[in-house]
């Protein structure tokens, strides 16, 4: 039975994340969106405060908190800036999670510890120009050459790659077997010869996040950087993105709640026909419905997080929370723009940015269609 109350520690952490988001992120969010650049001083502050290792053990330099606490961080930062949410999420919930579970002692010391304690930032690269929802169609290759592998290929839409120190790369180690049976995961480091990162790809939303193409031309990677067992990487990819979806669900809840909070403030002040917009029954009913949907989405996120912490099979819970929360975020941010009229559409207010940012939660770490396939697969098996 999943309890929906927060412990004292979780409440304290939530307040810390909320205060940081309000005081440090909110003042920079609009500028980062306009310039399409992430503020590196802000990144350094978050690294120092432990935002990049919340759910990892203290022995490895983390904060020793649980997955639910991590979702509280995702929600609070995404309330003011979804780009910050995805920057933390891609780092903290994907490659790091795989290294903690499947990494060798060497990999944990050399790569995981600095990623968790905030010295380094990571990205993870599965998607390619012709391999999105069907991740098994990747073409990047890793060919064994003595005590190295030689990697060649191209990855697209790789979040954090613009400033990452560590690149988790999925590549085929057995081309004949194909992606499901012939994929492996490697750790690459910034500066390796032949590893190139493009400029930030222009986008509709989460514009401050660094989302680039990553190209590998004869990159020589030590064999000791192979994570887990050779040719078993597809399972790792599914596991990483399966877990990452809990954070995206929390990001979507944060975007929706952030937009609704703006609308509540605005409609209580703005007057038309001699009355506040909040006094119209249409506004009241919309706000009541929106908060109800956000709370429902948050409970789905918390259920998935708790199931993960309890070591239950959480894959379909994670897919459900992402499916529902992302739909709620898109609907609610659209309705929030409407309730603010022309001012909602104006870039002076953050709601138009939140509307643009919400859309990506229905696409990355598996589209809503892919989420439906996972949920239906579980129900109908
Ligand atoms: C901003 C951004 C950040 C990203 N960050 C990363 C990252 O850090 N690392 C990474 O590896 N990838 C990343 N991605 C890639 C992302 O995960 C993919 O874009 C996503 O999985 C969808 O793949 P696709 O874009 O190739 O769409 P496609 O797979 O081509 O899908 C197109 C449409 O067809 C639908 N569709 C596909 N197959 C089916 C089916 N069998 N049945 C029904 N409908 C189907 C999809 O749902 C979608 O609506 C990012 C993408 C974006 C835009």
């Amino acid at each position: 039975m999943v309890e929906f109350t927060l412990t004292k520690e979780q409440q304290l952490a939530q307040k810390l994340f909320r205060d940081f988001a309000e005081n440090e992120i909110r003042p920079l969010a609009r500028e980062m969106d306009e310039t399409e650049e992430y503020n590196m001083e802000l990144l350094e502050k978050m690294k120092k405060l432990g935002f990049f290792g919340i759910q990892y053990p203290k022995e490895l330099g983390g904060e020793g908190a649980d997955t639910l606490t991590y979702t509280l961080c995702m929600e609070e930062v995404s309330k003011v800036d979804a780009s910050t949410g995805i920057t933390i999420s891609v780092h903290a919930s994907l490659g790091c999670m795989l290294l903690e579970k499947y990494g060798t002692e060497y990999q944990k010391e050399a790569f995981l510890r600095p990623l968790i304690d905030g010295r380094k930032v990571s990205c993870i690269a599965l998607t390619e120009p012709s391999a999105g929802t069907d991740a098994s169609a990747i073409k990047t290759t890793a060919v064994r050459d003595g005590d190295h592998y030689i990697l060649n290929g191209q990855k697209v839409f790789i979040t954090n790659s613009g400033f990452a120190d560590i690149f988790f790369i999925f590549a085929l180690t057995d081309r004949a077997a194909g992606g499901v049976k012939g994929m492996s995961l490697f750790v690459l480091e910034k500066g390796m010869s032949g590893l190139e990162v493009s400029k930030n790809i222009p986008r509709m939303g989460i514009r401050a996040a660094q989302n680039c193409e990553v190209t590998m031309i004869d990159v020589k990677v030590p064999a000791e950087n192979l994570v887990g067992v050779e040719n078993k990487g597809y399972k790792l990819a599914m596991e990483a993105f399966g877990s990452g979806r809990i954070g995206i669900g929390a990001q979507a809840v944060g975007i929706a709640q952030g937009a609704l909070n703006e609308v509540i403030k605005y409609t209580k002040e703005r007057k038309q026909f001699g009355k506040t917009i909040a006094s119209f029954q249409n506004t009241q009913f919309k706000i009541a419905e929106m908060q109800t949907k956000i709370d429902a989405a948050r409970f789905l996120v918390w259920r998935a997080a708790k199931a993960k912490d309890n070591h239950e099979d959480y894959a379909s819970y994670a897919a459900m929370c992402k499916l529902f929360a992302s739909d709620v975020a898109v609907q609610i941010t659209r309705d929030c723009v409407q309730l603010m009229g022309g001012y909602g559409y104006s870039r002076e207010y953050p709601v138009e940015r939140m509307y643009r940012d919400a859309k990506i939660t229905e696409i990355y770490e598996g589209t809503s269609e892919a989420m439906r396939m996972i949920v239906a697969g579980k129900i109908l098996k």
Side-chain angles (χ1 to χ4, degrees):
M1 180 68 185
V2 174
E3 295 281 338
F4 287 133
T5 48
L6 297 180
T7 63
K8 227 181 190 124
E9 290 76 30
Q10 287 164 340
Q11 286 175 32
L12 280 172
Q14 186 183 41
K15 181 170 179 335
L16 185 144
F17 301 138
R18 188 171 294 165
D19 290 348
F20 184 86
E22 283 301 327
N23 299 328
E24 306 285 344
I25 307 176
R26 188 183 287 282
L28 299 172
R30 180 176 171 191
E31 187 192 326
M32 293 198 297
D33 177 66
E34 302 258 337
T35 58
E36 302 188 12
E37 274 179 29
Y38 202 79
N39 183 300
M40 297 311 281
E41 281 172 27
L42 176 60
L43 190 78
E44 288 306 316
K45 277 186 194 165
M46 291 193 299
K47 284 158 79 176
K48 282 205 182 91
L49 280 172
F51 280 37
F52 283 68
I54 292 168
Q55 71 273 47
Y56 292 93
K58 291 195 169 165
E59 306 84 78
L60 278 170
E63 298 301 310
D66 54 13
T67 310
L68 183 50
T69 306
Y70 159 72
T71 69
L72 298 176
C73 174
M74 283 301 292
E75 178 178 341
E76 293 305 325
V77 302
S78 302
K79 266 186 199 169
V80 302
D81 182 37
S83 290
T84 298
I86 193 60
T87 300
I88 296 171
S89 166
V90 158
H91 169 89
S93 68
L94 302 173
C96 288
M97 186 276 262
L98 292 176
L99 264 195
E100 188 197 9
K101 202 162 167 193
Y102 300 103
T104 60
E105 283 313 308
Y106 160 72
Q107 289 169 350
K108 285 185 184 168
E109 279 309 313
F111 307 124
L112 185 58
R113 185 179 290 281
L115 288 172
I116 288 178
D117 70 18
R119 276 174 288 158
K120 292 189 173 172
V121 177
S122 68
C123 64
I124 187 161
L126 178 63
T127 307
E128 298 186 2
S130 53
T133 304
D134 180 9
S136 70
I138 65 163
K139 292 184 178 150
T140 295
T141 53
V143 177
R144 185 85 192 220
D145 180 20
D147 53 5
H148 285 79
Y149 286 85
I150 308 297
L151 268 71
N152 280 286
Q154 189 195 8
K155 301 288 182 179
V156 287
F157 296 130
I158 306 308
T159 308
N160 285 359
S161 56
F163 46 60
D165 307 285
I166 300 286
F167 294 66
F168 292 96
I169 304 277
F170 290 95
L172 293 177
T173 30
D174 184 343
R175 281 167 80 173
V180 176
K181 292 186 175 165
M183 188 188 294
S184 303
L185 175 63
F186 295 89
V187 179
L188 274 63
E189 292 182 82
K190 183 181 185 167
M192 279 181 165
S193 175
L195 177 65
E196 301 287 339
V197 180
S198 75
K199 288 209 172 112
N200 202 6
I201 302 168
R203 293 181 309 281
M204 171 181 175
I206 56 156
R207 289 169 26 161
Q210 294 302 299
N211 194 254
C212 316
E213 286 181 18
V214 175
T215 310
M216 288 146 287
I217 303 169
D218 292 334
V219 182
K220 202 171 166 189
V221 180
E224 62 194 359
N225 288 20
L226 169 80
V227 182
V229 179
E230 194 182 62
N231 297 329
K232 302 281 184 208
Y234 187 76
K235 184 182 159 283
L236 302 196
M238 294 305 109
E239 196 173 335
F241 289 103
S243 143
R245 282 167 199 146
I246 302 173
I248 305 302
Q251 181 193 32
V253 169
I255 298 170
Q257 187 70 66
L260 181 55
N261 291 351
E262 291 294 325
V263 152
I264 293 169
K265 225 174 15 192
Y266 181 86
T267 56
K268 281 161 91 175
E269 284 167 10
R270 170 81 173 167
K271 286 189 176 162
Q272 289 293 286
F273 302 98
K275 290 174 168 180
T276 62
I277 303 288
S279 69
F280 300 134
Q281 196 180 48
N282 175 60
T283 309
Q284 294 168 1
F285 281 10
K286 275 252 151 66
I287 287 176
E289 270 171 32
M290 289 195 278
Q291 191 61 64
T292 305
K293 284 181 183 167
I294 294 171
D295 284 7
R298 182 180 297 113
F299 286 157
L300 286 180
V301 170
W302 288 7
R303 177 177 74 166
K306 287 218 166 192
K308 179 166 188 270
D309 286 335
N310 292 342
H311 306 289
E312 293 167 31
D313 176 7
Y314 63 88
S316 70
Y317 288 164
M320 275 190 217
C321 85
K322 181 180 182 290
L323 174 63
F324 187 74
S326 59
D327 186 42
V328 162
V330 171
Q331 280 177 36
I332 285 180
T333 51
R334 185 198 60 205
D335 289 353
C336 285
V337 170
Q338 189 69 15
L339 282 172
M340 290 176 66
Y343 296 93
Y345 195 70
S346 150
R347 274 152 70 170
E348 250 180 76
Y349 288 87
V351 172
E352 65 80 28
R353 168 169 52 83
M354 293 165 168
Y355 185 26
R356 286 187 282 109
D357 286 350
K359 183 62 200 166
I360 190 61
T361 63
E362 292 186 315
I363 297 172
Y364 57 21
E365 301 202 18
T367 63
S368 293
E369 291 72 30
M371 296 309 99
R372 290 185 179 95
M373 290 186 235
I374 293 166
V375 175
K378 171 85 179 174
I379 296 168
L380 299 172
K381 83 170 181 200

